[in-house]
Amino acid sequence: MSRTRTRWRLGLTATALLVASAVVPAPANAEDVTDYAITVDPAAKGAKIDDTMYGVFFEDINRAADGGLYAELVQNRSFEYSTADNRSYTPLTSWGTSGTAQALSDDGRLNARNRTYLALDGGSSVTNSGYNTGISIESGKAYDFSVWARADAAAPLTVTLHDADGTLAEARRVTARGGWAKYRAKFTATRSSTTGRLTVAAEGPVALDMISLLPRDTYKGHGLREDLAQKIAALHPGFVRFPGGCLVNTGSMAGYDEASGYERKRSYQWKDTIGPVEQRATNSNFWGYNQSYGLGYYEYFQFSEDIGAMPLPVVPALVTGCGQNKATDDDALLERHIQDTLDLIEFANGPVTSEWGRKRAAMGHPKPFHLTHLEVGNEENLPNEFFARFTEFRTAIEAEYPDVTVISNSGPDDSGSTFDTAWQLNRDANVDMVDEHYYNSPQWFLQNNDRYDSYDRNGPKVFLGEYASLGNTFKNALSEAAFMTGLERNADVVKLASYAPLLANEDYVQWRPDLIWFNNHASWGSADYEVQKLFMSNVGDRVVPSTATGTPSVSGPISGAVGLSTWATTAAYDDVKVTGADGTALLGDDFSGDASQWTHTGTGSWSVQDGQYVQSDEAATNTMVQAGDPAWHDYDLHVKATKKSGKEGFLVAFGVKDTGNYYWWNLGGWNNTTSAVEQAVDGGKSTLVSKAGSIETGRAYDIDIKVRGRQVTLLLDGQEWGSFTDDKPAEPFRQVVTRDAKTGDLIVKVVNAQAADARTAIDLGGAKVGRKAAVTTLQAAPDAVNTETSTAVAPVKSTFEGVADRFTYTFPANSVTFLRIRKG
């Protein structure tokens, strides 16, 4: 998962209508219908589509594991929460106590890797509040309680499940005696509740750890929450990428041991996550909470097998990313991680006679997990340092496991200097597959359907490991669906693709959008989920080449007011001038008086100081002030800008329509490492052009921006920095045709991401087909969203009986439609 600021490349909205083939008379409301034509060439041989084309990416973000897919109902069951995880945490976070209760970290602990435990005096108790509103209990269901306890003398424990209205199950008693031992009890719920609590009361002094409550019913009995696992399984994913994301390439690469001082902020290291859960080291999660590793590598491999998906693990490359951006120069540590990776492959695939295959068998799975792909690293912003280390991993893996595909990556963005450098290194080294990540706007996805048309067919294959249009409305899902038709058309280059992130607990959100949402008692798929499910369930085995008419785009010049902003920086602006192309003065402000021409639309604190306009809140982000007329076009903007303090540089905006629609030149962005022009549409940004570079504190820079039509030229201190033309159309009508080898079905997939119906003449090119087509349609308002209580975006199935070699079908406005046409 990228921690860089979201970048969206946006384009024009198609507004004109194209009459391609008026097969039937236009209806009275012809302005609501656009005519298109699709021509299929069934005799041509398109790209083969692998069974693993579409998959899912599971990262423990948004409480996806603890409090999510991992079925454990007790939060902070081992009292390991600490300020290393979150500044607000203590070992008793999510616990309430009565009497005398103390969290201890001393030699009396359960084991060296489980370092904190709870000491209760007689007559004291501890109560856990679970996740969200509490512990969710369902009437009639069985729940397994367990606790590790130590007591010098017999210490009876009374365990109760209850909520504000009373008990939820008959109380249970266990008696702790002697050294650390595990004690168990079973509850059967007598009524349902989403606000449950679990209380353990002690009659005598006792030490407690690993207090657990698990539902008896989990997905295939393997410890995962049933409704969430079923929703993932229902996608029929071809692979599961795991565990990250930023969890892989952030934090210390050291182990959780005495040598590191039991380092709590570590990269995700697979050996920490297997074996008995009470011996697994917890870790500080990059996203601001604790991860217990109850859902570890064994459970991941097991889940992948349970849903028929290929496992695709990601291991650290010893170069951090996600804003940390450091390379570890420790040869011994690098060798240890390389060996750990070889051991991971043995754990997955090795025979029971091997060291790690034997450990897998001891956990309950003697058969191998059939690992075939493995990724090294994630979104590294230091491409040269990353690739040097990747090469060592790749060499070692290929020497021992030549059949395992080793996947590299291209950094956190869809373009730019890091992307270009990484791709060149990958091409030069003949890497098998490169992982690309990008989170862009709906317009970017509509614009870039052809992204992979020009990729080298003989170069590395593409794994699109993370992508989304940063929203969960149906408009977002439509744009992603349009883009996916381009992925399928280029299935000879794009071999794997997974939307991200997968899961989000609605009360613990670090990243939006997300595919599946949930709380402690319910789950629901987003509009994007419905699109992913439709594509994954109807992939086909081979592309059938086809073409379609498009929607011409008509647009005027870039227009809008001007603006000034900062991001985690204080800055001063002066000598603002806007001049029309004909030399007419449109705006001038040297701030010798007030700032009455400027409207403050963002955060931060602006004031006129010593003849400059100063933003003085170093913590504030997106502090936009704007001036001028939104109708301005074809003008020159001059600004003098000085960074005073902070992490980044400054931002100068143009083409400002409102707070969510503008362009800005971001100088010294991304922690003062890169400058870029970004465009925002409806609040989401994409990058149009970027270059490496930083801004000096205290230096005054002359900034000039020349806007002519759709062309923009940018000058820094009188020298041209760059230019761009924003004229790429955002085509709303996209399609692809594939064939299902097993059934012989021809699958026509059409996305109509506009407000007009798309009346379409379809020419199947002489293909032998039956008259009926099974139709699945997703249609909704562009701003529709799915919630716990309302499914606004859901598939509707129907039958169309007018199929012929040439026929007409009207695809509804704002829709995704799949026609499965049977072989004749």
Side-chain angles (χ1 to χ4, degrees), residues 308-332:
M310 175 183 80
L312 201 163
V314 188
V315 299
L318 273 74
V319 178
T320 57
C322 301
Q324 297 181 0
N325 302 337
K326 293 181 180 179
T328 301
D329 291 318
D330 183 330
D331 290 340

Side-chain angles (χ1 to χ4, degrees), residues 262-489:
Y262 293 96
E263 173 62 57
R264 282 293 295 272
K265 294 187 175 183
R266 310 182 309 284
S267 63
Y268 197 107
Q269 299 176 43
W270 79 272
K271 289 180 180 178
D272 287 342
T273 76
I274 65 167
V277 291
E278 68 273 8
Q279 295 176 18
R280 300 183 188 183
T282 66
N283 197 9
S284 171
N285 184 298
F286 174 82
W287 298 106
Y289 52 91
N290 176 276
Q291 51 189 339
S292 74
Y293 290 147
L295 195 172
Y297 255 92
Y298 178 80
E299 290 76 18
Y300 156 62
F301 282 134
Q302 181 75 74
F303 180 57
S304 298
E305 182 180 81
D306 285 345
I307 63 176
M310 175 183 80
L312 201 163
V314 188
V315 299
L318 273 74
V319 178
T320 57
C322 301
Q324 297 181 0
N325 302 337
K326 293 181 180 179
T328 301
D329 291 318
D330 183 330
D331 290 340
L333 190 58
L334 176 62
E335 287 302 314
R336 193 267 283 176
H337 275 266
I338 291 173
Q339 186 58 52
D340 281 354
T341 301
L342 297 174
D343 292 344
L344 173 61
I345 299 172
E346 183 179 291
F347 178 75
N349 294 350
V352 295
T353 54
S354 67
E355 177 185 1
W356 291 98
R358 183 163 52 251
K359 291 181 185 293
R360 180 194 70 240
M363 294 185 71
H365 202 283
K367 293 182 179 179
F369 284 116
H370 306 295
L371 174 65
T372 60
H373 291 66
L374 183 142
E375 183 173 356
V376 177
N378 170 77
E379 293 187 3
E380 282 71 25
N381 265 310
L382 304 173
N384 291 295
E385 292 85 344
F386 159 74
F387 203 77
R389 290 154 182 78
F390 169 83
T391 299
E392 295 197 46
F393 277 87
R394 180 191 184 197
T395 299
I397 294 168
E398 290 181 345
E400 284 202 38
Y401 301 102
D403 294 334
V404 172
T405 298
V406 185
I407 303 171
S408 181
N409 76 79
S410 58
D413 300 298
D414 62 273
S415 61
S417 58
T418 295
F419 179 88
D420 293 340
T421 300
W423 256 106
Q424 189 61 52
L425 291 167
N426 286 309
R427 279 192 295 267
D428 291 346
N430 295 315
V431 168
D432 289 329
M433 188 174 290
V434 177
D435 188 3
E436 293 189 354
H437 295 176
Y438 36 83
Y439 296 89
N440 291 325
S441 72
Q443 284 81 353
W444 186 95
F445 283 97
L446 293 177
Q447 283 181 306
N448 285 276
N449 177 275
D450 62 350
R451 175 180 176 88
Y452 297 105
D453 290 1
S454 59
Y455 272 50
D456 182 0
R457 271 39 210 173
N458 298 312
K461 302 305 180 185
V462 172
F463 170 27
L464 181 49
E466 298 185 30
Y467 73 98
S469 68
L470 283 177
N472 275 149
T473 69
F474 190 48
K475 176 178 70 176
N476 299 100
L478 282 170
S479 70
E480 292 153 5
F483 189 73
M484 292 170 78
T485 66
L487 299 183
E488 290 192 7
R489 187 176 65 251

Side-chain angles (χ1 to χ4, degrees), residues 67 91 122 135 141 174 215 250 298 303 306 406 436 492 528 545 547-548 560 580 583 586 598 687 723 819:
I135 294 174
K141 297 288 187 178
V174 297
T250 56
Y298 178 80
F303 180 57
D306 285 345
V406 185
E436 293 189 354
D492 57 328
D528 315 73
T547 58
L586 301 176
W598 298 85
T687 300
S723 64
L819 304 173

Side-chain angles (χ1 to χ4, degrees), residues 553-574:
S553 180
V554 177
S555 179
I558 293 173
S559 62
V562 299
L564 310 171
S565 190
T566 60
W567 199 287
T569 306
T570 65
Y573 293 93
D574 202 357

